[in-house]
Amino acid sequence: MLAQMLNRVGDDAGYRRWSAQVERAGFCVRPVRLAGSVARVDAATGEVDATYSTAGEPNGTLLVACKDRRESVCPPCAARYRADAWHVFASGLAGRDGHHEEGGHSSPVGVPGAGVVPATVGNHPAVLATFTAPSFGRVHAFRGGGVCRPWPRRRGRRDAALCPHGKPRGCGLRHGPDDGLIGAPLCDECADLAGMVLWNAHAGELWRRTVIYVYRALAALCPAIGGRAVTVRGVRALLRVSYVKVAEFQRRGVVHLHVIARLDGVDGDDPERIVAPPAWAGVDLLAAAIAQAGARVRVPLPDIDGVARVARWGEQLDVRPINQSGSGSGSGSGARGPVARLAGYLAKYATKTLGDAMSGLPASRGRGERLVPGESDAVPGHVRALVETVRALARHPACRGLRLARHVHTLGFAGHVTSKSRRYSVTFAVLRAARRAWRIATGAADRDGPDPWAAHDEHDGDGDGGGSWVVAGHWRMVGLGYATFGDAALAGSLGRQHRAARAAARLGLIE
């Protein structure tokens, strides 16, 4: 490996070119290596005015970030996703002026009106709601130093401490936060593993119906307008519930949702506008509607063993008003204080996986792939049982439409880890477009010749006929990860230096 590193740094010009690629890839730990070429061509005349080929690059390849959001797979790409998620979450509570900070600079998005959220959203009612799954059997739990599960006692009943299968109903141990027993059922036979898998598979549908029920609850809770009760259609003409949610896995193997919900008004002349709700629609109304909807919503589950099951939320529904003091407008999201901390709290869950919640479980697994020898010893027993339950249900006729075989690594959960309503805030696509525009604008001095992508953006849609130009390319994937172990070690060192420099800049130690 040392020889590979010396060979790389020995060619000064080649090393500079290669290190620039590593930096453009965000110091990704497993970049995609591409080979090919691209050209900007006039579709009408066939004229070519800008070309690029990887033939002149080190190893004849171009390094592109893998863009994996999972911290356990690629920390640098996960950090970028987490930063974007922070902007998505915070801008819905503090507003956004359409600029995005990249490398310490603020750059326009480049899309008229895109990414703009009025700062007045900071005055809209907003709550943080946590929706948990119901109980599927008693499990071991971390109690902050307390006893896990005190034994139930009933006078005159000697068997009250035992379940129907003869297992204890309680646990007198004091589990630590990293104890592998946390989340495991007290009795494997009492635990409804099929119910857990089916609940995970229907969590997305349960949330969709919850939003519908929230509007019904708002109609029931709204004061009469003009002496008449408000219908659901009337509520939707007056109020809009905007939200963003993040799914997190519990140690027992089911997801729960962290949701930021904001109450907006509706502009009849311009439904796309984000306006304040009526004065009578406050945070108490929103919190009550969410609590009522969470308690009532139900989703029927497939009948797999003659047991009628329904998906519902657990009793531990937590709805808290959000203190938006300290937020303000400005470049980027403008979030400050409690809003910034809340956005950071949710953003960290956006890059987590089931394997992060349960030690030993891989981040992902291919369709039908089984645990490899030795790996199963590191996975908690109840997780192995859930994995086998997912595979068994995937073959059940009643579950064919759930595509469980594709989601073994998430125990049946097929939803997005992060999702939002249309008008809550800025989108990931807008943030990435802003970053791309900034890179094109600031990287012009580093280019040896015309950049086909930059030239296309500069002339496309500017009214001078640039719309006839197209970017045509041919690419093939050469590999995943760096070509040599020496390259990987050098890239890791460059990444550490970059992160140290950014940390020093934030502290004001360097400019």
Side-chain angles (χ1 to χ4, degrees):
M1 184 172 71
L2 180 59
Q4 295 169 348
M5 297 172 67
L6 292 175
N7 183 57
R8 175 63 70 190
V9 301
D11 179 7
D12 185 60
Y15 176 71
R16 290 185 181 181
R17 189 90 175 183
W18 176 83
S19 61
Q21 281 201 33
V22 173
E23 182 178 2
R24 284 196 298 269
F27 306 97
C28 174
V29 300
R30 53 162 210 170
V32 179
R33 303 198 309 276
L34 300 177
S37 61
V38 65
R40 182 173 178 269
V41 184
D42 189 330
T45 65
E47 176 188 356
V48 177
D49 72 339
T51 62
Y52 168 81
S53 173
T54 60
E57 299 288 353
N59 298 335
T61 59
L62 177 67
L63 301 179
V64 179
C66 70
K67 301 179 183 179
D68 200 301
R69 66 161 186 86
R70 296 167 295 181
E71 179 77 23
S72 57
V73 175
C74 183
C77 289
R80 174 156 292 173
Y81 184 92
R82 188 163 52 247
D84 285 350
W86 185 92
H87 281 278
V88 171
F89 300 151
S91 61
L93 295 174
R96 178 183 176 82
D97 62 5
H99 288 67
H100 179 58
E101 294 182 2
E102 175 71 21
H105 299 79
S106 178
S107 61
V109 170
V111 181
V116 178
V117 182
T120 53
V121 296
N123 299 321
H124 293 201
V127 299
L128 172 64
T130 301
F131 294 84
T132 62
S135 173
F136 295 96
R138 296 167 69 86
V139 299
H140 293 276
F142 170 62
R143 303 294 185 186
V147 174
C148 172
R149 293 280 184 183
W151 278 277
R153 295 182 179 179
R154 297 180 185 177
R155 183 173 300 178
R157 290 281 305 279
R158 297 184 60 183
D159 61 341
L162 300 178
C163 74
H165 306 98
K167 301 291 183 63
R169 293 182 182 270
C171 173
L173 300 178
R174 302 175 187 271
H175 300 296
D178 299 324
D179 194 322
L181 277 177
I182 296 178
L186 298 181
C187 175
D188 295 336
E189 297 177 84
C190 289
D192 185 10
L193 300 183
M196 296 172 71
V197 171
L198 292 176
W199 194 94
N200 282 339
H202 289 79
E205 175 63 15
L206 184 60
W207 172 251
R208 187 188 71 85
R209 295 195 185 191
T210 300
V211 175
I212 296 173
Y213 273 59
V214 166
Y215 281 102
R216 295 179 182 178
L218 286 172
L221 296 171
C222 280
I225 299 178
R228 301 180 60 181
V230 183
T231 63
V232 175
R233 178 176 295 182
V235 162
R236 288 183 176 271
L238 296 171
L239 302 174
R240 178 187 298 126
V241 179
S242 300
Y243 66 85
V244 64
K245 63 181 178 70
V246 180
E248 179 196 5
F249 266 93
Q250 295 178 305
R251 297 280 289 273
R252 56 178 171 151
V254 290
V255 296
H256 64 236
L257 303 182
H258 301 283
V259 180
I260 295 177
R262 187 187 71 219
L263 196 59
D264 301 332
V266 177
D267 186 340
D269 298 328
D270 185 5
E272 296 297 322
R273 285 188 59 202
I274 301 176
V275 298
W280 49 264
V283 67
D284 292 337
L285 175 66
L286 177 60
I290 291 177
Q292 186 178 115
R296 293 184 177 182
V297 65
R298 298 287 188 275
V299 176
L301 298 179
D303 183 0
I304 59 172
D305 52 12
V307 178
R309 294 183 176 90
V310 294
R312 59 178 179 82
W313 298 115
E315 297 179 356
Q316 297 177 341
L317 174 60
D318 185 22
V319 184
R320 301 183 182 183
I322 295 177
N323 178 15
Q324 295 167 266
S325 62
S327 63
S329 61
S331 180
S333 69
R336 298 292 186 271
V339 169
R341 290 192 293 272
L342 176 59
Y345 170 75
L346 294 186
K348 71 178 182 180
Y349 291 121
T351 58
K352 299 299 182 181
T353 64
L354 176 59
D356 297 314
M358 303 176 186
S359 176
L361 190 67
S364 65
R365 193 174 305 281
R367 184 175 182 179
E369 187 178 347
R370 292 185 174 273
L371 297 172
V372 298
E375 184 183 62
S376 60
D377 297 335
V379 179
H382 70 288
V383 178
R384 293 199 300 270
L386 283 170
V387 168
E388 294 305 322
T389 302
V390 175
R391 294 194 178 108
L393 291 179
R395 298 187 294 268
H396 197 285
C399 301
R400 287 177 179 172
L402 300 179
R403 299 185 298 175
L404 293 176
R406 296 186 178 182
H407 304 286
V408 175
H409 62 287
T410 55
L411 304 182
F413 177 66
H416 294 285
V417 172
T418 304
S419 60
K420 72 178 189 69
S421 61
R422 180 180 176 184
R423 299 179 183 88
Y424 172 79
S425 67
V426 66
T427 65
F428 282 93
V430 167
L431 294 175
R432 289 161 184 162
R435 184 181 299 114
R436 181 170 179 269
W438 179 85
R439 284 180 175 174
I440 290 175
T442 59
D446 301 331
R447 290 193 289 267
D448 296 334
D451 185 333
W453 295 285
H456 181 68
D457 284 355
E458 290 169 1
H459 296 86
D460 185 35
D462 61 359
D464 63 353
S468 64
W469 292 91
V470 296
V471 175
H474 173 73
W475 300 97
R476 63 183 178 89
M477 180 176 174
V478 176
L480 182 64
Y482 292 97
T484 65
F485 290 110
D487 283 354
L490 283 174
S493 177
L494 290 173
R496 289 189 292 273
Q497 294 175 17
H498 173 76
R499 290 188 291 273
R502 293 200 59 157
R506 285 194 294 268
L507 294 175
L509 301 179
I510 60 175
E511 295 183 359

